[in-house]
Amino acid sequence: MSAAGPGESVLTRAVRILEAFSQDEPALPVSEIARRAGLHVATASRLIAELVAHGLLVRDEQRLVRVGVRLWELASRASPALTLRERAMPFLEGVHDVVGHHVQLAVRDGEEVLFVERLSTPGSVVNYTRIAGRLPLHASSSGLVLLAHAPAMLREQVVEAGPLHAYTTATPAVPGRLRAQLAAIRRDGYAYCPGFVHEDALGIAAPVRDGTGDVVAAVGVVVPNDAAARTHLPVVRTAARGISRALGARPADAQGRGG
Amino acid sequence: MSAAGPGESVLTRAVRILEAFSQDEPALPVSEIARRAGLHVATASRLIAELVAHGLLVRDEQRLVRVGVRLWELASRASPALTLRERAMPFLEGVHDVVGHHVQLAVRDGEEVLFVERLSTPGSVVNYTRIAGRLPLHASSSGLVLLAHAPAMLREQVVEAGPLHAYTTATPAVPGRLRAQLAAIRRDGYAYCPGFVHEDALGIAAPVRDGTGDVVAAVGVVVPNDAAARTHLPVVRTAARGISRALGARPADAQGRGG
């Protein structure tokens, strides 16, 4: 996405500056931000100063730069992710009370799954998801639910994209197996994924629909990969339907149109 | 904050475009965004197109513009608010299970309180706070806790700022009463605010400290304004200390240095 004019290039550079930060490295010196954003230190420095003036970035006592709470506020207050999350939260809390471990809510953004909420119990089974973190669509139970209900063209694109990452031997990383998996998810109304992302973990997810009947999110749990996991299935499916109803889905749609 | 050069002005205009959206009006036509941002439609249109290209804004089926999930992701993944919120969440859930109504977590941003989390039960008592919403520091229990522990200069600035908004007759909107209130909060270690924001509601909040002993947040509940409210006080104070411990505060600091 190259710059078409002076206006465009400033926004592009500002976005690259914001992209320099991560959950593991929330505080960076200006020089490191410049390096990651591919900008001259002077250019980065000037843009950072302006972002700081707007409160989108802040400087801490060690002169390290961080993402400001103002950016979070601007992004959150009108965010569809926040509305979804607010409606879903009582259901997520209920599931978390009963199942423990990890409960999460995810949306599809392009060819990735983006986790917008996660409730975890300390000492739970391994889980690679993070709030505002991403995974490819073909591996996790939430991603597979979202991929199964994505537009056919995008679905084929992902399936045919060529080598998909196999996290474990159970990951549906080859086209035939992935296609069968997606068909099963549409037929059954849920994804049940033992060891797809990590051998010790098992993901269960179900689709959340809005008032138009479209799948807008996936709700799921990540629990230990053992025989007891299947007992959590009704809880996840019930939560998915409850959240769908809270979003205005009609009963038939909340249950899924695919059966 | 006027523009010093072409680079600066683009960012300033982009921020004004983002500021046009709110929780009540998350989807706007380009012309309305231009009006709110004080920009020519052509200028707004060009900037919006670029923000859409970066995924920071999205266009829906009705050609209305919304905040994109990508902006939320950039703002959230390295946000100190998110880290605080993640550490606090198990405590907030516990308080919500026991107290019901509204449980919230707030930080100070300048002379306002910004709510970074809220768990609510449907049908609870009236509450003006919203996630990513703001209130002045002098009215709500969370705001008063944050003001009581703010730097002395900022505290005096707010107290002496002149006419503070009196939401009810109980709001500490005059300097003498506000000062006494803040001193009591520092002495007692909590704020107990019957009817300060709305006659029917009562707020209770306590300070959350980090590993350096600084007050970084306030945790509180909003419950009906009646005699039973006081029974929730130990729950709120315990949660505040628990969150402080989870943030690395030492026991003495978690209890507050003021006594």
Side-chain angles (χ1 to χ4, degrees), chain A residues 236-254:
Chain A
V236 173
R237 299 183 71 191
T238 305
R241 289 171 192 199
I243 299 168
S244 299
R245 295 291 286 270
L247 292 176
R250 285 159 302 169
D253 280 344

Side-chain angles (χ1 to χ4, degrees), chain A residues 5-27:
Chain A
E8 282 73 3
S9 66
V10 168
L11 273 186
T12 302
R13 282 177 276 170
V15 169
R16 282 215 300 276
I17 286 173
L18 296 178
E19 286 173 342
F21 301 91
S22 68
Q23 191 160 11
D24 292 325
E25 294 170 298

Side-chain angles (χ1 to χ4, degrees), chain B residues 110-178:
Chain B
E111 299 189 8
E112 291 176 307
V113 49
L114 177 67
F115 293 90
V116 296
E117 187 52 84
R118 191 183 84 165
L119 300 177
S120 294
T121 307
S124 300
V125 68
V126 58
N127 184 358
Y128 291 153
T129 67
R130 283 178 163 180
I131 299 173
R134 289 172 180 260
L135 281 179
L137 286 171
H138 73 281
S140 68
S141 56
S142 300
L144 286 163
V145 161
L146 293 166
L147 183 57
H149 295 282
M153 221 169 80
L154 183 129
R155 211 160 63 216
E156 274 310 301
Q157 208 169 297
V158 171
V159 172
E160 295 295 346
L164 293 167
H165 181 61
Y167 291 83
T168 69
T169 53
T171 312
V174 297
R177 218 163 112 198
L178 180 50

